[in-house]
Amino acid sequence: MKQVEIKNCIFGNGDPKICVPLFGGSREEILETAGVMRKEIDRLEAIYKDKKVDVIEFRADFFDDVADRIKLGELMDSLREIFSDRLLLFTYRSEDEGGELRHDRAESMIEDIWEWVITGKMADIIDIELKSGNYRVARAAVKAHEAGMFVIMSNHNFEKTPHDEEILEMFREMEILGADILKIASTPTSRFDVERMLELTKDISSGKIGSDYINHPIVIISMGASGARTRIECRKTGCAMTFSSIGNGSAPGQIGLEEMMTKL
């Protein structure tokens, strides 16, 4: 499986990367939270010297002014300063896939928002949801690569865990559409679903299945408390990245950063 290197951070090399989400409504709230996160990350990294937070995910769907290009750019510049030594991931999660409900219907402008982020090089990585439509997804991925940005292509299912074949087909589509990192997050309805996702991650990352069409690092997560193992057993399974939290999490079952550092 191909490794992906972004500013000396290598995904898919057997060392799972830790991503911490950042969210808030106003600029002031977001920057205040970012300052608290920065201090906590520095504190924990001083204790757990072999662990590092590699990626900060800005969840733009929570931001009140996400539909304002200038305000969005100014905020991203500020986050760049605070997290200058980390990768910055820009995510606008749609309502259908668990994003924050927006009254201004900003997600109807998602192509414009992606364009602003890409042309302004506001982040190192951009999250693009697979179900946004093949043409829109492929076009955004091409533009991101032309700008020197990388693409996480994602799918989130809050109702069930898809069958293995369906997940493999989504990964195939992501590869075709230009993903650099492939991500699936789903909701388990039984312990069997969690076990199945652990095994599927192992099988794909080891090349046992899908090796003829899955070439990039994968992220497979079972959400909720019952799926916590998929977040902390990444070294065993080959999952390229895990998501942890400082304070409130952005998805069901996210584990606090300190606990993650002790278990990962």
Side-chain angles (χ1 to χ4, degrees):
M1 184 174 291
K2 178 180 178 181
Q3 296 180 357
V4 172
E5 183 173 356
I6 309 175
K7 291 185 175 179
N8 299 319
C9 182
I10 302 174
F11 295 82
N13 65 349
D15 180 23
K17 304 304 179 276
I18 298 176
C19 178
V20 175
L22 166 64
F23 53 93
S26 67
R27 171 186 172 88
E28 292 73 24
E29 180 186 0
I30 292 167
L31 293 181
E32 181 180 356
T33 302
V36 171
M37 286 176 56
R38 178 80 247 195
K39 290 179 181 178
E40 181 67 358
I41 288 169
D42 290 344
R43 182 185 76 83
L44 291 174
E45 288 181 348
I47 297 171
Y48 304 97
K49 299 183 185 298
D50 62 334
K51 302 292 170 60
K52 179 186 177 183
V53 172
D54 301 279
V55 184
I56 304 297
E57 179 186 38
F58 174 55
R59 280 290 300 270
D61 46 298
F62 285 84
F63 181 36
D64 295 335
D65 293 312
V66 66
D68 186 313
R69 181 175 188 168
I70 294 175
K71 290 181 179 179
L72 178 61
E74 290 174 346
L75 175 61
M76 297 301 289
D77 286 343
S78 296
L79 295 180
R80 278 282 199 196
E81 291 181 16
I82 296 170
F83 299 109
S84 59
D85 56 344
R86 315 289 155 147
L87 297 179
L88 193 57
L89 164 62
F90 181 92
T91 297
Y92 187 100
R93 185 67 61 233
S94 71
E95 293 173 24
D96 288 345
E97 298 202 14
E100 178 72 355
L101 178 66
R102 301 210 58 82
H103 299 293
D104 59 9
R105 310 308 298 172
E107 67 183 69
S108 66
M109 298 175 55
I110 190 60
E111 284 188 277
D112 293 324
I113 294 170
W114 287 344
E115 179 82 14
W116 302 341
V117 173
I118 291 167
T119 58
K121 297 183 180 180
M122 296 181 189
D124 302 296
I125 315 169
I126 187 167
D127 181 294
I128 300 175
E129 292 177 358
L130 176 64
K131 291 187 177 179
S132 299
N134 286 2
Y135 177 72
R136 291 201 298 174
V137 169
R139 183 169 62 177
V142 168
K143 289 181 178 180
H145 291 150
E146 289 175 348
M149 291 176 60
F150 291 77
V151 175
I152 290 180
M153 215 164 284
S154 64
N155 176 262
H156 300 75
N157 191 319
F158 284 83
E159 296 181 359
K160 63 179 182 178
T161 298
H163 294 299
D164 291 4
E165 293 76 13
E166 186 178 348
I167 292 173
L168 290 168
E169 182 58 31
M170 283 192 282
F171 278 164
R172 187 198 301 267
E173 288 184 48
M174 291 175 185
E175 288 276 3
I176 292 170
L177 295 172
D180 298 297
I181 298 172
L182 324 177
K183 178 189 176 190
I184 296 285
S186 59
T187 302
T189 58
S190 67
R191 184 172 17 173
F192 172 73
D193 283 340
V194 177
E195 295 290 343
R196 183 161 59 86
M197 291 302 96
L198 290 167
E199 288 303 313
L200 183 62
T201 308
K202 287 180 186 177
D203 288 346
I204 296 173
S205 62
S206 67
K208 183 177 180 180
I209 60 174
S211 59
D212 55 333
Y213 57 89
I214 299 176
N215 301 310
H216 289 81
I218 62 168
V219 178
I220 297 180
I221 297 169
S222 283
M223 294 184 285
S226 63
R229 289 179 58 200
T230 62
R231 298 181 183 274
I232 61 178
E233 295 186 14
C234 296
R235 291 189 194 281
K236 297 179 182 179
T237 63
C239 183
M241 183 166 64
T242 188
F243 291 74
S244 186
S245 61
I246 296 175
N248 295 326
S250 62
Q254 276 184 3
I255 297 170
L257 181 58
E258 184 161 16
E259 181 181 0
M260 178 66 76
M261 286 184 165
T262 64
K263 293 182 175 180
L264 186 64

